[in-house]
Structure formats: structure tokens, C-alpha cells
Amino acid sequence: MSRRSVVVVSAFAVGLVVLGALAAAPPVGAQAGGYPTKSITLLVPWPAGGWVDATARVVAGIAEKDLGQPVVVTNRVGGGGQVAWTELARARADGYTLGIVNFPNLSTIVYDPERKAAFTAGAYTHLVNQVLNPVAVWVKPDSPYRSLRDLVEDARKRPAQIRVGLDAILGDDHLALLLLEQEASVRFRAVHFEGAAPQIPALLGGQVDVVFQNASFPFVPRARAGEVRMIAVFARERSPFLPDVPTAAEQGFQTTMSVTSGLAAPKGLPGPVAEKLQAVFARAMQSAEHREKLQQIGVPAKILVGAEYTQLIDELDGHARRLVEQFRKSR
Amino acid sequence: MDIVQHWLHGFAVATTPENLLFVVIGSVLGTLVGLLPGLGPIEGTAILIPLTYRMEPIPALIMLAAIYYGAMYGGTISSVLVNVPGEGVSVVTCFDGYQMARQGRAGVALGVAAIGSFVGGTIATVALMLVALPLARVALAIGPPEMFALLLIGFVLVATLGGRRLLPSLLMALVGLLLAMVGMDPVRGAPRLAFGVPELYDGIGFIPVVMGLFGVAEIMLALEHPTPPAPGARVGGLRGMLPSREEWPRVAGAIGRGTLLGFLLGLIPGIGAVIPTFAAYALEKRLSRHPERFGTGVVEGVAAPETANNAYANASMVPLLTLGVPGSPTLAVLMGAFIIHGVTPGAFLFRERPDLVWGLIASLYVGNLVLLVLNLPMVGLWARLLELPRAYLYPAILLFAIIGCYSVRQSLFDVGLMLVFGVLGYLVRKLDWPVAPTVLALILAPLMEKALRNSLEMSGGDASIFVTRPIAALLLGVAAVALVLAAAGLGPIRRLGAPPEP
């Protein structure tokens, strides 16, 4: 082999290795003092096209300017959040792996023994809550259901025949449906999708008759555009985005169900890192940019830190535990 | 008009400096990998997926597509210069391309191939735009039962048409289905077949399997062969790459027919990329006044298959983007990579992410142009690269694959998985069994399972939903017929794809 081709080979090999190194993550082992010294991964348990993904990307975009390092949103979809929350609970508590957690969804996985969850609500350092989002009932614009009452009456006539598009098993949408079934003594036919995005074609294409999904993006913009219609929201107050639609309570039903979306890290995060993250992300969520963007996409913010947030998690966790036990008995 | 707006918007997306850069990087890297003997589009895409892992979806998809057609062109270069096809798609190009190179006309062969690829790719892309929009309009009629039936068709066609023997193909597909079952149950959420190994809770990663089965296995196979002799032919300047005046009419005819043939075959999932090249070559030979001169270095013998190959590559994007059905194993890998980026190909994509789809389509044009501009002057460099001994080059690529695989999740488990599947792929290839059905099953199975279970949820557990819905019933019928034809060895398309004698 000629000298020249040795040079070419070496150059090529070096080039490939450099390319590979560029693809690989920066070295680990940074100290808390200069934190963060490299990019931070933010695990999102739902697919792109849903509201959790949308809001996570908004806050990541604001916070990374403050942190001086990129916050890379990574969608780890599967098992109604279980994949991402397992990974988050197992990740190194160095502040470079963060994740979005949702209650009561996380708790229902913990309390369902079939799921063999490798985590509990206590497996994380809960930093800041970003969103509290109520479940709503959605239909096509030409649907015969004008109200929740219409829907329940029809379900009484045709038990277990009305197809309801839901998100994950025992997720907030499913819990709302189960609570409604219990309250009104009716049965529906549940069809589970992964995230909100596939629920839209299913509803518009008539694959399901009704969809239970949060009163937010991506359904709110579609409701504004006249593509879908909301007939009830399972909250104590009306949705600020669609104030003309009455709550379930106004229509004579007691069922309420909301889901949180908040920032968490693996348990055992070093104190200074936790404080920094909490401060930066709380500041990001309280910024005008965050407020405007969430208003624009149509997601209700609920920024909570410290004891207030812990209290809400405890409350939702306890509620989820009772519901799961109840539903496992009735199954 | 609607379509013009989409079209312009797509171009706006594809020509931002950032995306343009990724088209160029993807084309160059794709060409580089495709050039190496044994490594074609599927291996190239598989090895290079990690580079795009942390990118935003649009640039990532654009770069992946660029790698795909870049690798196609890379295969052409090694076919012409050293008579070693990158993989099946460029086998036919060897027939006349290498003869031309021996006559000192390597430049013309590569030039014609580039021009043919450009024309074929561009015209096919225009047709893709025209076909895609009406198809996307019927998107809403496709519910879970129809989706299941569609995926089944793609599955049957790709698993049976590609290989010569049905049983090994189906068995390898079953292996893929089994691998796909590992991990979280998509509906109930409970872990399956994970045997308590936490790394398996998330399933067997598509990236390590594909990189192993295609990348590592092919590198091992390639190392068994000695380095090919250095190309004797010098390529010369741009002028040395154009055919002579009397050749032009024949070239133009071959390009026209190759485009049409490649495009039509590309619309049928499962044809695979090889058949259009053989078919185009056979057609030219039949139409020629001097069929006996084929195989001695006639220019249309290069132009036709190369054009057909690129027209096919672009046309096969139609079933992928509109129906979510990958037409070839390479496209299945591409589809897997899209899904990793949160983009599930299918009709709904046109409604939901027009920026992404039209940006990608526009990038196909841009990419064809980039390949033309880039490859004409760079051919000399590529030729030199082929002189490198494999003993140095391939270990470097293996190292690159290992780093790339690790970088995706910073997981050594994934690297181990890749190497295990590399050895498995090597052994399976030694048995002359196909690995593509395994990969296809691994990628399609989760989608099929979701569609199946959603269908049954919709019907309350009644399987008759698949036959009472007319579109689903029709599609299932097509899948059944395809399977029976394949089992009976009657596949008309397969006969068409029988290699002609040069």
C-alpha cells in the first residue's frame, strides 16, 4: 500500500470517528458547580402532536436560554407513560435527564399490579408543575349528541355499543369514562389509542362516536376551526378556551377528572442542581412568553412548586389508588 | 391552487440553508456508504440513522431520504468502476457500465447514470405530488381495520416477493414478529417477554437490530472478499462525462422508458428496487435494433436501469407517505427511522404535517439536483476511495457503527444487541436466507398489533369487523391472493424480475 493511500485511509478513518463522536453525547461526569455543562434530555411520555409534548417543548425552549445549554425533548412513548417513567426513575440523578410526569396517570400504573411498575410517585424529585388539564367530551360537528345528557341517554338505550376513543388504559380519559359509567350506570365501548393525535382521525373518520380527551390542544384549536365540538368538561369550572360549553356538573353529573403535567428528575438529585432547575423552570413558566404560548396553543397552565405541588400529587395519588382498587374489583 | 401552494411551501422548507446542508451531507454520506462494495441503500440508511437521531424531524427526514438516494448512486459508481455492485440495485449497471469503463468511457457511464437518475427522479417526484394529494383525501376512510389490512398487504408482498423461497421468508418474518412482541404491551401496558431485563421493557430497539442485521453483517461478509483491483479508468472532466451526439437519442429514449417503468413499478409495494432495473434493461434490449451489443458497453444499458432505479425510489415514496406501506426493505428501514422521529407515515400526515411531507417531497428534487452537481466533479475522489484496502476501511466503518449505535441512547446494551444481531445476520446470510422480512416484521408488527386491537375494541371483540367493512374486506382479499400466488410460485412479477443474461 502506497504512502499516499495510507494518508487517505487514516484521514478517512479519523473523519469517520470524528463524525461518530459528534453523534455521541458529550462526556459525562460534570460537577454540580458548573451545572449544566452539556445538553439536558427531557423525556416526554407521549407522542408529538399532543398537548404534553407541545407544552414541554414551550418550556424547554424558554428554559434553555436561561440554562445556557440545550434542553432536548425526547418522546419516549409506550405503555401509557410507563416506558418514559421507568427510564426516568432509572436514570442517573445528575440533572441531565429530566422528564414530564402526569398524575393521576403515573399513579394508576403504580397501583395496577399487572403493570409491574418499577417506580412509585416517590421515585422522583418533583420540581415544578406546569399544567392542570380537565378531561372533556368531544364529538363531530354533525353528531346527534348536543350535550352529555344526550350521550348518556343513548348509552342507556344501546348499552356497550357507543364507541368512545380514549387515551391509555387507566389514564385520565379512561378514568373519567369509568367514573361516568359508574355515576350514570351505563356502559360504553372503550377504544384505546396512544396519545391525542390518533384520536382525531378516528373521530373525524367515524371510527369512534365520541372522544374523551383534555379540554386543550390539539382539540381546542380544532373546535375553534369548527372541525370538532365539545359537549362537556369534567371540571368545576368551564374551560377558559371554550367558555360557552357547560361543565358536566351544570348538566347534572358529578364526575370530575383532570391531569397534571409537571417536571421531574430521578430521586436523589443533588440539592444545588434541584434548586437551580426549580428556579429556572419556574421562572420560565411564569414568563410572559410561556403564558402567551400556552394561551395560543390552548392549554391551561397551573404553576405549582414545593408543598403546594406535593399536596396535589398526594391528593391525586390517593384518588388514583382508590379508583384502581375499585375498578379491579368490578372487572 | 392548492397543490401549487403546497409545492411552493415544500420548496421553502427544503431550501432553508439548514435543510439544504442536510441534503448535501446526506447525499455525500449516502454516496460514500453506497459506494462501498456490499453496502447499499439499506445498509447505508441503517448505519447512518444515529446521525439524525437528535435532529428535529424535518431536517432528519430530509437527511435520511438524501442518504437513501445517495446510497443508490454510490452503488452505481462502484458498479461502473470496479464491476462490484453495491447491492442488487446496481447489478444490471455492471453489465454495460463496467464494459464502458474498460473502454475508457467510465465518465460517460457515470454521467449518463447521473443524468438518468436526475431525470427519472425528478419526473417521478412530480408524479408523486399529483398522485399523493387525491390519495391523501381519502385518508379518513382508513380506520384501524383498513390499516391492519393494508399493513398485511405490505407485509405479504415484501416478505414473499423479495426472496425466491416462500418458507424461509415467512419463517424469518415470524422471527421479526416474535422480536416485536418483546417489551410493553401497547394497550394494556404490561411488560411482555422481557424476562425481568429492564433494558427489554422498552422492546428490542429497531436501530441496533437493523444496524446489526444489515450493517455489521454486511461488513463481515465484505471482509471475506479481497479488495477489488484498482480502477484503471480515469474519469476525466465534465466533458468526458457526456455521451456523444449520436448516442443522445438512444439515451433519451432509455431515460424516458426507464422513468415510466420505474415509476409504475414503484407504486406497487413489494416489488423491491432490483426488479425495475432488470425490467428496464430487458425492455431496452428487446426494443434495440442491436440487442447483441448489450453487455459490451452500450450507453442505454446504463441509462435505462439507472433511471428506472431512481424513478422507482421516488415513486415508492407514494405508498409509503400516503398509505404508510413501505414498498421495500429499505423503505421499511426509512419508515422505522421516521417513526423514531415521531412521524408515522400515512395519509393523515398530509393533513397534519403538510410542512413536513411537502418539505420532504421538495427535498427529493433538490436532492436529485445536488447529486448531479456534486457527483460529476467528485467521481474521481470516489474512485480513489475504492482503492483503499478493505482491511482498513471496513473496521473503520464498524467502529463508526458502534459509536453511532451507542450514541442513540448511550446504552452499551444496544451495542451488544447490535453485535449479536450482526453475527446472527451473518449466519443467516450464509444460509442464504433473507433478513429483510425480519426487519420488516419488527417495524410493521407494532403498527399491525395496534390496528388489530383497536379494530377489535371498536367491534367489541367481534372479528367480523374485518369482512363487514368493504374496504377492509377488499384489502384482506388482495393480501390473501398475493400470498396464494406467492405460495404457488405464480408471481408474475417475480418472473419479470428474473435476471436477464447480459
Side-chain angles (χ1 to χ4, degrees):
Chain A
M1 174 173 169
S2 73
R3 197 143 166 214
R4 188 151 174 201
S5 50
V6 171
V7 173
V8 176
V9 173
S10 335
F12 182 65
V14 168
L16 275 180
V17 172
V18 168
L19 266 174
L22 282 176
V28 286
Q31 290 306 305
Y35 175 86
T37 56
K38 57 171 182 165
S39 68
I40 297 169
T41 300
L42 178 60
L43 300 173
V44 171
W46 307 100
W51 64 267
V52 180
D53 175 78
T55 51
R57 284 177 196 277
V58 168
V59 74
I62 303 172
E64 67 185 7
K65 286 181 238 159
D66 206 343
L67 287 165
Q69 289 288 342
V71 178
V72 183
V73 173
T74 308
N75 300 84
R76 296 298 255 170
V77 183
Q82 192 165 357
V83 169
W85 295 326
T86 306
E87 186 170 329
L88 182 63
R90 289 176 195 278
R92 202 182 299 188
D94 57 4
Y96 292 104
T97 309
L98 307 176
I100 297 292
V101 291
N102 308 106
F103 289 94
N105 300 40
L106 191 146
S107 299
T108 57
I109 295 174
V110 172
Y111 296 120
D112 183 352
E114 265 183 45
R115 304 289 286 264
K116 300 183 187 125
F119 52 83
T120 63
Y124 310 98
T125 307
H126 294 287
L127 297 165
V128 199
N129 189 56
Q130 187 186 11
V131 176
L132 184 65
N133 204 347
V135 178
V137 185
W138 303 90
V139 293
K140 275 209 284 189
D142 58 358
S143 163
Y145 308 129
R146 309 297 308 177
S147 68
L148 191 56
R149 226 170 250 285
D150 291 347
L151 177 65
V152 169
E153 269 163 33
D154 196 28
R156 227 167 245 138
K157 276 182 233 145
R158 302 189 295 139
Q161 283 189 43
I162 299 170
R163 296 160 302 173
V164 182
L166 301 172
D167 210 323
I169 284 249
L170 292 180
D172 49 314
D173 308 327
H174 193 193
L175 292 178
L177 180 74
L178 292 169
L179 284 170
L180 181 68
E181 284 186 337
Q182 205 174 40
E183 182 184 352
S185 307
V186 289
R187 295 273 295 154
F188 291 94
R189 185 180 285 178
V191 184
H192 295 274
F193 295 95
E194 210 160 76
Q199 289 178 325
I200 295 164
L203 181 67
L204 298 182
Q207 321 296 343
V208 293
D209 305 300
V210 195
V211 156
F212 277 41
Q213 180 54 260
N214 303 99
S216 69
F217 176 84
F219 278 78
V220 161
R222 281 165 196 282
R224 286 174 181 156
E227 283 181 53
V228 295
R229 192 149 56 76
M230 186 168 107
I231 57 174
V233 57
F234 293 110
R236 291 190 186 91
E237 284 152 27
R238 292 186 178 197
S239 162
F241 306 112
L242 298 168
D244 296 338
V245 181
T247 64
E250 289 175 64
Q251 303 181 47
F253 299 91
Q254 297 314 306
T255 298
T256 59
M257 180 54 63
S258 294
V259 61
T260 68
S261 192
L263 184 77
K267 197 180 165 179
L269 197 63
V273 174
E275 277 159 34
K276 171 141 195 188
L277 283 171
Q278 201 164 40
V280 167
F281 276 88
R283 199 153 55 226
M285 289 176 199
Q286 280 150 359
S287 68
E289 185 183 350
H290 186 267
R291 190 168 53 242
E292 276 158 27
K293 281 198 170 150
L294 258 62
Q295 172 72 28
Q296 200 185 335
I297 29 188
V299 181
K302 181 88 173 175
I303 297 137
L304 298 172
V305 287
E308 264 188 315
Y309 186 22
T310 319
Q311 204 182 334
L312 178 66
I313 291 175
D314 287 345
E315 190 188 313
L316 292 170
D317 191 63
H319 193 202
R321 170 183 233 153
R322 287 190 299 278
L323 286 177
V324 173
E325 274 164 19
Q326 227 170 319
F327 293 131
R328 282 185 60 78
K329 263 183 228 151
S330 68
R331 233 188 261 162
Chain B
M1 209 182 95
D2 226 18
I3 187 136
V4 176
Q5 235 172 40
H6 282 308
W7 194 77
L8 287 175
H9 183 67
F11 265 95
V13 171
T15 53
T16 60
E18 188 199 0
N19 290 339
L20 216 49
L21 179 69
F22 287 121
V23 170
V24 173
I25 295 176
S27 305
V28 173
L29 288 178
T31 309
L32 185 69
V33 178
L35 180 73
L36 301 171
L39 304 183
I42 191 162
E43 293 83 13
T45 315
I47 293 174
L48 296 172
I49 284 175
L51 279 182
T52 68
Y53 188 70
R54 283 179 196 280
M55 290 162 56
E56 288 294 309
I58 293 179
L61 262 55
I62 285 177
M63 184 162 148
L64 283 164
I67 289 170
Y68 168 54
Y69 46 73
M72 289 261 202
Y73 192 70
T76 305
I77 298 174
S78 59
S79 297
V80 168
L81 293 183
V82 291
N83 202 21
V84 178
E87 63 150 33
V89 273
S90 27
V91 167
V92 188
T93 309
C94 288
F95 297 165
D96 282 282
Y98 182 60
Q99 293 304 323
M100 288 177 74
R102 287 183 59 181
Q103 295 156 19
R105 303 189 70 211
V108 178
L110 290 170
V112 166
I115 295 165
S117 295
F118 175 71
V119 173
T122 305
I123 294 177
T125 307
V126 175
L128 165 64
M129 290 185 359
L130 297 178
V131 176
L133 211 58
L135 263 179
R137 288 228 172 86
V138 301
L140 285 180
I142 297 174
E146 290 77 22
M147 200 59 229
F148 176 77
L150 266 177
L151 288 166
L152 201 65
I153 292 182
F155 191 76
V156 167
L157 287 178
V158 178
T160 59
L161 283 176
R164 289 177 299 282
R165 292 162 305 160
L166 184 62
L167 198 61
S169 297
L170 289 181
L171 278 175
M172 290 304 287
L174 276 182
V175 172
L177 283 178
L178 204 59
L179 289 175
M181 291 302 114
V182 176
M184 214 63 90
D185 177 317
V187 177
R188 296 215 44 82
R192 294 187 303 209
L193 298 173
F195 307 106
V197 180
E199 280 85 359
L200 290 179
Y201 276 39
D202 193 13
I204 292 184
F206 146 79
I207 293 178
V209 174
V210 175
M211 291 184 78
L213 283 180
F214 291 115
V216 176
E218 287 299 334
I219 289 168
M220 288 166 71
L221 284 167
L223 280 173
E224 288 183 349
H225 301 287
T227 307
R234 281 273 158 256
V235 175
L238 188 60
R239 191 162 301 164
M241 303 193 70
L242 296 177
S244 64
R245 193 168 294 170
E246 53 270 28
E247 282 172 331
W248 266 117
R250 287 187 284 143
V251 169
I255 287 178
R257 287 184 287 272
T259 302
L260 193 66
L261 198 64
F263 185 77
L264 292 179
L265 292 177
L267 294 177
I268 309 169
I271 292 288
V274 180
I275 289 171
T277 61
F278 280 109
Y281 190 84
L283 182 69
E284 281 314 303
K285 199 172 166 181
R286 192 164 301 170
L287 292 179
S288 172
R289 258 179 245 138
H290 303 284
E292 74 284 353
R293 276 174 28 199
F294 274 72
T296 63
V298 287
V299 70
E300 59 266 41
V302 174
E306 281 300 317
T307 310
N309 152 9
N310 244 39
Y312 167 84
N314 284 318
S316 60
M317 289 276 179
V318 173
L320 178 69
L321 290 176
T322 53
L323 302 174
V325 174
S328 70
T330 316
L331 282 173
V333 171
L334 210 56
M335 178 173 173
F338 285 12
I339 293 172
I340 286 174
H341 285 286
V343 176
T344 305
F348 218 66
L349 209 55
F350 282 84
R351 288 175 57 110
E352 296 305 305
R353 304 290 306 272
D355 54 333
L356 191 147
V357 183
W358 294 102
L360 182 64
I361 291 176
S363 88
L364 298 180
Y365 286 101
V366 177
N368 280 312
L369 192 66
V370 166
L371 272 186
L372 188 68
V373 172
L374 211 63
N375 279 319
L376 292 182
M378 277 176 82
V379 158
L381 180 71
W382 298 137
R384 298 199 50 107
L385 206 68
L386 280 170
E387 294 174 29
L388 299 181
R390 292 186 180 190
Y392 295 88
L393 198 53
Y394 283 80
I397 298 170
L398 188 61
L399 183 66
F400 175 74
I402 289 172
I403 295 171
C405 184
Y406 177 78
S407 71
V408 168
R409 293 201 299 184
Q410 284 82 50
S411 156
L412 275 179
F413 182 84
D414 280 358
V415 176
L417 210 58
M418 175 182 85
L419 295 177
V420 167
F421 276 97
V423 174
L424 279 179
Y426 174 79
L427 295 177
V428 169
R429 291 290 304 270
K430 282 276 156 187
L431 288 173
D432 201 23
W433 280 26
V435 290
T438 308
V439 170
L440 190 79
L442 184 68
I443 293 160
L444 294 189
L447 301 174
M448 278 173 81
E449 186 184 3
K450 248 349 282 167
L452 176 66
R453 295 178 72 164
N454 276 344
S455 305
L456 292 176
E457 281 182 320
M458 281 167 59
S459 69
D462 186 352
S464 71
I465 186 166
F466 292 106
V467 286
T468 51
R469 295 181 40 131
I471 302 177
L474 181 77
L475 293 172
L476 279 181
V478 172
V481 168
L483 188 62
V484 169
L485 280 180
L490 292 175
I493 298 151
R494 208 170 336 149
R495 266 210 306 282
L496 187 69
E501 286 304 308

PDB file of all heavy atoms in Angstrom, chain A residues 75-90:
ATOM      1  N   ASN A  75     -39.241  12.119  22.840  1.00  0.00           N
ATOM      2  CA  ASN A  75     -40.513  11.424  23.057  1.00  0.00           C
ATOM      3  C   ASN A  75     -40.238   9.940  23.302  1.00  0.00           C
ATOM      4  O   ASN A  75     -39.733   9.250  22.431  1.00  0.00           O
ATOM      5  CB  ASN A  75     -41.435  11.577  21.846  1.00  0.00           C
ATOM      6  CG  ASN A  75     -41.751  13.033  21.567  1.00  0.00           C
ATOM      7  OD1 ASN A  75     -40.987  13.720  20.918  1.00  0.00           O
ATOM      8  ND2 ASN A  75     -42.860  13.495  22.080  1.00  0.00           N
ATOM      9  N   ARG A  76     -40.549   9.484  24.526  1.00  0.00           N
ATOM     10  CA  ARG A  76     -40.386   8.070  24.854  1.00  0.00           C
ATOM     11  C   ARG A  76     -41.772   7.502  25.071  1.00  0.00           C
ATOM     12  O   ARG A  76     -42.283   7.499  26.184  1.00  0.00           O
ATOM     13  CB  ARG A  76     -39.566   7.900  26.132  1.00  0.00           C
ATOM     14  CG  ARG A  76     -38.185   8.405  25.982  1.00  0.00           C
ATOM     15  CD  ARG A  76     -37.511   7.640  24.935  1.00  0.00           C
ATOM     16  NE  ARG A  76     -36.584   6.705  25.486  1.00  0.00           N
ATOM     17  CZ  ARG A  76     -36.002   5.786  24.747  1.00  0.00           C
ATOM     18  NH1 ARG A  76     -36.337   5.676  23.493  1.00  0.00           N
ATOM     19  NH2 ARG A  76     -35.131   5.000  25.269  1.00  0.00           N
ATOM     20  N   VAL A  77     -42.398   7.075  23.985  1.00  0.00           N
ATOM     21  CA  VAL A  77     -43.808   6.719  24.022  1.00  0.00           C
ATOM     22  C   VAL A  77     -43.967   5.246  24.327  1.00  0.00           C
ATOM     23  O   VAL A  77     -43.177   4.428  23.868  1.00  0.00           O
ATOM     24  CB  VAL A  77     -44.445   7.044  22.658  1.00  0.00           C
ATOM     25  CG1 VAL A  77     -45.930   6.754  22.684  1.00  0.00           C
ATOM     26  CG2 VAL A  77     -44.189   8.489  22.305  1.00  0.00           C
ATOM     27  N   GLY A  78     -45.006   4.907  25.085  1.00  0.00           N
ATOM     28  CA  GLY A  78     -45.319   3.494  25.254  1.00  0.00           C
ATOM     29  C   GLY A  78     -45.921   3.202  26.608  1.00  0.00           C
ATOM     30  O   GLY A  78     -45.552   3.799  27.621  1.00  0.00           O
ATOM     31  N   GLY A  79     -46.878   2.277  26.603  1.00  0.00           N
ATOM     32  CA  GLY A  79     -47.476   1.818  27.850  1.00  0.00           C
ATOM     33  C   GLY A  79     -48.094   2.936  28.664  1.00  0.00           C
ATOM     34  O   GLY A  79     -48.033   2.921  29.886  1.00  0.00           O
ATOM     35  N   GLY A  80     -48.702   3.904  28.005  1.00  0.00           N
ATOM     36  CA  GLY A  80     -49.382   4.984  28.715  1.00  0.00           C
ATOM     37  C   GLY A  80     -48.453   5.760  29.637  1.00  0.00           C
ATOM     38  O   GLY A  80     -48.871   6.218  30.697  1.00  0.00           O
ATOM     39  N   GLY A  81     -47.196   5.903  29.239  1.00  0.00           N
ATOM     40  CA  GLY A  81     -46.235   6.658  30.037  1.00  0.00           C
ATOM     41  C   GLY A  81     -45.237   5.771  30.769  1.00  0.00           C
ATOM     42  O   GLY A  81     -44.203   6.245  31.231  1.00  0.00           O
ATOM     43  N   GLN A  82     -45.540   4.472  30.852  1.00  0.00           N
ATOM     44  CA  GLN A  82     -44.704   3.588  31.668  1.00  0.00           C
ATOM     45  C   GLN A  82     -43.265   3.515  31.166  1.00  0.00           C
ATOM     46  O   GLN A  82     -42.328   3.457  31.969  1.00  0.00           O
ATOM     47  CB  GLN A  82     -45.322   2.184  31.702  1.00  0.00           C
ATOM     48  CG  GLN A  82     -44.684   1.298  32.764  1.00  0.00           C
ATOM     49  CD  GLN A  82     -45.508   0.067  33.041  1.00  0.00           C
ATOM     50  OE1 GLN A  82     -46.589  -0.118  32.499  1.00  0.00           O
ATOM     51  NE2 GLN A  82     -44.988  -0.802  33.895  1.00  0.00           N
ATOM     52  N   VAL A  83     -43.095   3.529  29.850  1.00  0.00           N
ATOM     53  CA  VAL A  83     -41.747   3.425  29.295  1.00  0.00           C
ATOM     54  C   VAL A  83     -40.897   4.612  29.754  1.00  0.00           C
ATOM     55  O   VAL A  83     -39.792   4.448  30.274  1.00  0.00           O
ATOM     56  CB  VAL A  83     -41.808   3.346  27.751  1.00  0.00           C
ATOM     57  CG1 VAL A  83     -40.421   3.517  27.151  1.00  0.00           C
ATOM     58  CG2 VAL A  83     -42.408   2.018  27.309  1.00  0.00           C
ATOM     59  N   ALA A  84     -41.431   5.795  29.586  1.00  0.00           N
ATOM     60  CA  ALA A  84     -40.668   7.001  29.932  1.00  0.00           C
ATOM     61  C   ALA A  84     -40.435   7.080  31.443  1.00  0.00           C
ATOM     62  O   ALA A  84     -39.339   7.438  31.881  1.00  0.00           O
ATOM     63  CB  ALA A  84     -41.402   8.245  29.447  1.00  0.00           C
ATOM     64  N   TRP A  85     -41.463   6.760  32.237  1.00  0.00           N
ATOM     65  CA  TRP A  85     -41.311   6.908  33.690  1.00  0.00           C
ATOM     66  C   TRP A  85     -40.387   5.839  34.261  1.00  0.00           C
ATOM     67  O   TRP A  85     -39.720   6.088  35.265  1.00  0.00           O
ATOM     68  CB  TRP A  85     -42.700   6.905  34.353  1.00  0.00           C
ATOM     69  CG  TRP A  85     -43.483   8.117  33.924  1.00  0.00           C
ATOM     70  CD1 TRP A  85     -42.950   9.354  33.658  1.00  0.00           C
ATOM     71  CD2 TRP A  85     -44.878   8.210  33.653  1.00  0.00           C
ATOM     72  NE1 TRP A  85     -43.944  10.211  33.242  1.00  0.00           N
ATOM     73  CE2 TRP A  85     -45.144   9.551  33.242  1.00  0.00           C
ATOM     74  CE3 TRP A  85     -45.941   7.319  33.724  1.00  0.00           C
ATOM     75  CZ2 TRP A  85     -46.416   9.989  32.896  1.00  0.00           C
ATOM     76  CZ3 TRP A  85     -47.216   7.753  33.399  1.00  0.00           C
ATOM     77  CH2 TRP A  85     -47.454   9.081  32.985  1.00  0.00           C
ATOM     78  N   THR A  86     -40.348   4.667  33.640  1.00  0.00           N
ATOM     79  CA  THR A  86     -39.371   3.654  34.056  1.00  0.00           C
ATOM     80  C   THR A  86     -37.974   4.170  33.769  1.00  0.00           C
ATOM     81  O   THR A  86     -37.082   4.113  34.623  1.00  0.00           O
ATOM     82  CB  THR A  86     -39.613   2.332  33.294  1.00  0.00           C
ATOM     83  OG1 THR A  86     -40.970   1.933  33.478  1.00  0.00           O
ATOM     84  CG2 THR A  86     -38.690   1.236  33.792  1.00  0.00           C
ATOM     85  N   GLU A  87     -37.800   4.693  32.576  1.00  0.00           N
ATOM     86  CA  GLU A  87     -36.474   5.186  32.201  1.00  0.00           C
ATOM     87  C   GLU A  87     -36.041   6.351  33.091  1.00  0.00           C
ATOM     88  O   GLU A  87     -34.894   6.414  33.535  1.00  0.00           O
ATOM     89  CB  GLU A  87     -36.489   5.624  30.728  1.00  0.00           C
ATOM     90  CG  GLU A  87     -35.106   6.019  30.238  1.00  0.00           C
ATOM     91  CD  GLU A  87     -35.058   6.227  28.725  1.00  0.00           C
ATOM     92  OE1 GLU A  87     -35.822   5.548  28.018  1.00  0.00           O
ATOM     93  OE2 GLU A  87     -34.257   7.069  28.281  1.00  0.00           O
ATOM     94  N   LEU A  88     -36.994   7.235  33.388  1.00  0.00           N
ATOM     95  CA  LEU A  88     -36.665   8.394  34.222  1.00  0.00           C
ATOM     96  C   LEU A  88     -36.273   7.935  35.628  1.00  0.00           C
ATOM     97  O   LEU A  88     -35.297   8.421  36.196  1.00  0.00           O
ATOM     98  CB  LEU A  88     -37.856   9.353  34.276  1.00  0.00           C
ATOM     99  CG  LEU A  88     -37.631  10.634  35.080  1.00  0.00           C
ATOM    100  CD1 LEU A  88     -36.533  11.482  34.449  1.00  0.00           C
ATOM    101  CD2 LEU A  88     -38.921  11.450  35.182  1.00  0.00           C
ATOM    102  N   ALA A  89     -37.028   6.975  36.191  1.00  0.00           N
ATOM    103  CA  ALA A  89     -36.741   6.514  37.547  1.00  0.00           C
ATOM    104  C   ALA A  89     -35.367   5.846  37.610  1.00  0.00           C
ATOM    105  O   ALA A  89     -34.695   5.896  38.634  1.00  0.00           O
ATOM    106  CB  ALA A  89     -37.829   5.538  38.007  1.00  0.00           C
ATOM    107  N   ARG A  90     -34.955   5.222  36.499  1.00  0.00           N
ATOM    108  CA  ARG A  90     -33.677   4.511  36.491  1.00  0.00           C
ATOM    109  C   ARG A  90     -32.509   5.402  36.092  1.00  0.00           C
ATOM    110  O   ARG A  90     -31.353   4.989  36.210  1.00  0.00           O
ATOM    111  CB  ARG A  90     -33.734   3.358  35.486  1.00  0.00           C
ATOM    112  CG  ARG A  90     -34.604   2.223  35.913  1.00  0.00           C
ATOM    113  CD  ARG A  90     -34.658   1.191  34.789  1.00  0.00           C
ATOM    114  NE  ARG A  90     -35.752   0.260  34.991  1.00  0.00           N
ATOM    115  CZ  ARG A  90     -35.687  -0.793  35.797  1.00  0.00           C
ATOM    116  NH1 ARG A  90     -34.589  -1.045  36.441  1.00  0.00           N
ATOM    117  NH2 ARG A  90     -36.726  -1.578  35.947  1.00  0.00           N
TER     118      ARG A  90
END
